Amino acid sequence: MNAQYITTSINTVIILFAIIIIAKILSYLTKSIIKLFMKKLNFKQIERIKKAAKFTIFYSIIMLGIYYLVKDLVAPEVNFYIRGIIFTITTIIFAIGIKRILGAFVEFVVEHASKRGLVGLSKDMTNVIKNIVDITIFIIAIIVIIGIWGGSVGP
């Protein structure tokens, strides 16, 4: 019994390190791919977009890896709650990452349009647009979280 516990613990640690390595590789690839696509645009918000994408990918992979690591170790009755908690945290991570990425894009579009004289948006209007985007993202995240826990928003 004790040897089985040690073997399971060692396997768990090895899998956890593998998950962290995979998350690091995917976050680096995401950063590189974004850098490649954004190279032509050359705007100052690219660093914010890279950081947000790296944050989102890295921590989402970590959370999903922890779920797949833990799901076989707990009783089926507890698995529903573990799944709910981890997927809720992952949804929040995605919402924060998407909020950061879209915030940088909104700033870029408004700044670019103002320089060309297409629209006369002030800094206040930019903040209003960003706030509307943020609220929309978090409403969608709340709907997804309610769905994760088995609820429904619609009729």
Side-chain angles (χ1 to χ4, degrees):
M1 179 84 177
N2 196 13
Q4 182 183 7
Y5 176 75
I6 292 173
T7 305
T8 304
S9 298
I10 291 172
N11 288 342
T12 303
V13 170
I14 291 171
I15 291 171
L16 187 60
F17 280 125
I19 289 167
I20 292 171
I21 291 170
I22 290 169
K24 281 284 195 190
I25 291 170
L26 287 176
S27 66
Y28 175 77
L29 288 175
T30 302
K31 185 177 175 182
S32 300
I33 290 169
I34 289 174
K35 187 176 182 180
L36 182 69
F37 282 120
M38 298 295 177
K39 196 174 191 179
K40 295 182 180 180
L41 293 180
N42 194 19
F43 62 96
K44 65 183 178 184
Q45 287 86 1
I46 191 167
E47 284 303 316
R48 287 176 47 202
I49 291 172
K50 286 192 296 188
K51 285 180 184 177
K54 186 177 177 181
F55 164 84
T56 305
I57 297 296
F58 180 76
Y59 287 108
S60 296
I61 296 295
I62 294 292
M63 293 308 295
L64 294 175
I66 289 172
Y67 168 69
Y68 287 109
L69 195 78
V70 173
K71 75 174 185 168
D72 295 331
L73 299 176
V74 297
E77 303 85 34
V78 179
N79 194 20
F80 171 78
Y81 298 105
I82 298 291
R83 178 188 161 279
I85 291 169
I86 290 178
F87 285 0
T88 298
I89 293 170
T90 305
T91 302
I92 292 169
I93 290 169
F94 264 97
I96 292 170
I98 291 170
K99 172 196 168 298
R100 290 179 181 174
I101 291 169
L102 289 180
F105 274 123
V106 166
E107 286 180 10
F108 168 72
V109 168
V110 170
E111 181 181 312
H112 188 68
S114 295
K115 283 182 182 177
R116 295 190 173 227
L118 298 175
V119 289
L121 295 177
S122 66
K123 183 72 172 168
D124 294 334
M125 194 60 170
T126 304
N127 289 336
V128 169
I129 293 170
K130 283 174 56 178
N131 288 340
I132 290 171
V133 169
D134 293 350
I135 290 168
T136 305
I137 290 168
F138 284 112
I139 287 172
I140 292 170
I142 289 169
I143 292 170
V144 169
I145 290 169
I146 291 170
I148 288 171
W149 288 99
S152 109
V153 177

